[in-house]
Amino acid sequence: MTENDGARGGSALPRPGASAKQSDAAELRVAELRVAALSPEIVIGDVDGNLDRIRSAVSAAARRQTQLIVLPELATSGYVFADRDEARSAALTADDPRWSSLQAAIPADAVVVVGYAESAGGQLFNTAAVLTRDARLADYRKSHLWGAETLIFDRGSDAGLVLDAPFGRLGVALCYDNEFPEVPRRIALAGADVLALPVNWPLVPRPEGEHAPELIQAMASARSSRLPVVIADRWGSERGVDWTDGTAIIDEQGWIVAFRTVMGASAMLSLDAVRSKALPPHNDLFADRREDLY
């Protein structure tokens, strides 16, 4: 991939319907995965302060032997920018030396997915960095921009990302990406064991007692592809925008197994259950698709 690609450092996804290519890393895949979705305080424009709070949250998750840690969309910068210039002033480059202090807090053999405003030459992207203690595995640039994001950011050129991680295959998307059913399905078909989903979900009206619509969509996509989702959302408000506080972990059956616990959520996921798409005795989630019809 080139520097202008929407997802740098990860593998290209196969065309929809193609079998996922298994990598050499498949032999190292774990059967169970401890995951955490974290939502520390995020202050718009306070890049250094946000990085400090992110680092503290990651350090706390490290003490629980967490193998995948997900933080919100644009976690280093905040979200509700006045204009592109303000966003650019809070942006980071992928090679900014400040990333190293965050990486130092990542547990060995763990992966952190964190949203940031990425400055890349003359362009500005809403990006998710995929980091380990010793490496930068990828940067995924959001391709589906929501609302005023279209006035601030450039569009990425990939609908999600799948890459090899220490535990298996990791899928990455950002917020509005997941509201297009083709994206999580495409990620699942590429062999992802889990989807990391940093989000900033604005609070919208809904019937009393119902989950946020975005969360319901994530539950449905998890169930339809047997693909668990780790969602890190914002809480509180920013410049008049109230956040949903929808941080959650959804298992491969589409059920919420952890939800909004002390600015985060943590759970153990069975990846063995994820990797089999069989529905005994007669069905299979992927093999039963009628690609000749749709």
Side-chain angles (χ1 to χ4, degrees), residues 34-286:
R34 179 164 292 282
V35 302
L38 308 178
S39 187
E41 181 184 14
I42 296 168
V43 178
I44 191 161
D46 184 16
V47 177
D48 289 336
N50 291 332
L51 284 168
D52 285 343
R53 288 182 285 274
I54 291 167
R55 183 170 54 249
S56 294
V58 168
S59 296
R63 293 193 288 271
R64 299 192 295 272
Q65 299 182 314
T66 307
Q67 297 154 282
L68 173 63
I69 300 168
V70 182
L71 293 114
E73 178 183 23
L74 295 174
T76 66
S77 63
Y79 181 93
V80 187
F81 297 110
D83 52 34
R84 187 177 173 95
D85 287 341
E86 185 184 33
R88 189 178 298 282
S89 71
L92 296 167
T93 59
D95 60 358
D96 190 295
R98 287 174 286 185
W99 288 114
S100 61
S101 64
L102 171 56
Q103 288 178 268
I106 299 175
D109 297 324
V111 177
V112 166
V113 180
V114 55
Y116 75 108
E118 181 196 3
S119 177
Q123 294 183 291
L124 191 63
F125 296 100
N126 182 340
T127 299
V130 186
L131 309 170
T132 67
R133 178 182 293 180
D134 301 316
R136 191 179 196 94
L137 300 183
D139 291 89
Y140 168 66
R141 295 167 173 170
K142 187 176 182 180
S143 55
H144 299 91
L145 301 181
W146 170 259
E149 288 179 44
T150 59
L151 306 176
I152 304 291
F153 295 106
D154 297 292
R155 296 179 187 274
S157 58
D158 287 283
L161 168 70
V162 177
L163 69 155
D164 289 323
F167 52 79
R169 295 276 280 171
L170 172 65
V172 181
L174 278 162
C175 202
Y176 190 42
D177 285 331
N178 202 61
E179 296 193 41
F180 296 83
E182 299 87 349
V183 175
R185 173 52 64 91
R186 187 169 183 250
I187 287 170
L189 288 171
D193 296 316
V194 61
L195 172 59
L197 189 65
V199 306
N200 277 193
W201 284 340
L203 186 64
V204 298
R206 60 181 187 263
E208 186 175 355
E210 292 287 352
H211 287 302
E214 300 93 339
L215 187 55
I216 293 171
Q217 286 180 303
M219 294 169 68
S221 67
R223 182 173 179 82
S224 64
S225 291
R226 195 169 284 175
L227 178 67
V229 187
V230 183
I231 301 165
D233 191 18
R234 297 281 299 279
W235 51 270
S237 62
E238 183 179 276
R239 291 183 172 173
V241 175
D242 294 326
W243 303 117
T244 294
D245 191 13
T247 294
I249 297 167
I250 302 170
D251 72 7
E252 79 286 350
Q253 296 296 328
W255 301 117
I256 298 171
V257 294
F259 188 51
R260 296 190 312 199
T261 305
V262 192
M263 294 192 300
S266 180
M268 186 74 77
L269 298 173
S270 171
L271 298 192
D272 279 348
V274 171
R275 290 166 184 147
S276 173
K277 307 302 181 182
L279 298 170
H282 302 298
N283 297 96
D284 184 283
L285 277 175
F286 285 2

